Amino acid sequence: MQQSPSTTSSTTYTTIPISGADVISRSFQNLSTFVTRHRPWPEFISNFDRPDSLSDAGIRLRRNAKYFSVNYTIIISIIAAACLIGSPISLVIFALISLLWLVLYFFREDPMVVWGHHVSDWIVMLSLVIVTFLAVWFTGILVNLMIGIGVALLILAVHGILRNPEGLFLDENDAVSAGLIRARSAPISQFGDF
């Protein structure tokens, strides 16, 4: 006896759980891919001039922050670590906690499975927040870390305001608005334009 098409059960798809080691391996791959997306350093330190107005300074800051986001992240990390150089134990703990955040939260694509049980992103984040809080509390690095991050943000704000972003195209929309490429008004058909 055949079933009619309307009475067949629908198929459900789920993600295939992978081991924690595979999750961490993929996270490291995503981290290395992120770091390799930094903009060239000679481009980062060229083309400085004063903005014409306060609104121009704000536009420059937003464009440079978007375009040089990976470079800014690298600089903030280096300056924050440099502020902890006086306490090597704190520096090592800060590095390990940063690595945990990057691997287990920011660059993880797949669901986390521990001993055969799915661990939600909320629990991963809550655990990382607790570990970070305890490490900051017991090592006493909060003041040094906030000074380092504050100095880094100040330096990057000055860079973002003084670096002229002319000639930097952040994405396709910016290139369209500058007239370098033409926007398509209709979606591309499967067989091309005839």
Side-chain angles (χ1 to χ4, degrees):
M1 182 168 143
Q2 285 187 330
Q3 292 181 342
S4 68
S6 62
T7 61
T8 59
S9 64
S10 64
T11 306
T12 58
Y13 296 98
T14 60
T15 59
I16 300 170
I18 61 174
S19 70
D22 288 339
V23 169
I24 292 172
S25 173
R26 283 184 166 182
S27 297
F28 275 116
Q29 285 178 325
N30 292 340
L31 175 62
S32 67
T33 300
F34 175 76
V35 171
T36 59
R37 286 189 1 227
H38 76 278
R39 303 297 180 173
W41 293 105
E43 181 181 8
F44 182 79
I45 58 173
S46 65
N47 202 11
F48 287 97
D49 62 0
R50 283 186 34 206
D52 296 331
S53 65
L54 191 58
S55 64
D56 186 35
I59 291 169
R60 283 182 176 200
L61 185 60
R62 279 190 299 278
R63 282 190 180 168
N64 284 325
K66 187 175 179 182
Y67 189 76
F68 292 112
S69 62
V70 177
N71 298 64
Y72 285 175
T73 303
I74 292 169
I75 290 172
I76 289 172
S77 301
I78 290 171
I79 292 176
C83 284
L84 299 176
I85 210 100
S87 173
I89 304 264
S90 298
L91 181 61
V92 169
I93 290 172
F94 171 71
L96 289 174
I97 289 175
S98 297
L99 186 67
L100 283 174
W101 272 97
L102 292 173
V103 170
L104 296 178
Y105 191 74
F106 290 114
F107 295 111
R108 183 173 51 89
E109 295 175 340
D110 303 309
M112 180 69 85
V113 177
V114 177
W115 294 305
H117 299 289
H118 175 74
V119 179
S120 73
D121 287 342
W122 189 84
I123 291 178
V124 172
M125 185 181 72
L126 183 64
S127 302
L128 288 170
V129 166
I130 291 170
V131 167
T132 303
F133 176 76
L134 290 174
V136 167
W137 180 268
F138 286 119
T139 58
I141 63 173
L142 183 62
V143 173
N144 288 344
L145 198 56
M146 296 317 284
I147 289 172
I149 292 173
V151 167
L153 290 175
L154 180 66
I155 290 169
L156 296 179
V158 169
H159 176 271
I161 291 170
L162 294 180
R163 189 185 186 295
N164 191 346
E166 292 301 317
L168 303 179
F169 293 100
L170 306 175
D171 57 15
E172 205 171 279
N173 293 334
D174 290 340
V176 168
S177 66
L180 293 178
I181 60 175
R182 185 175 59 101
R184 291 186 69 100
S185 58
I188 299 172
S189 70
Q190 180 180 2
F191 302 106
D193 294 306
F194 291 105

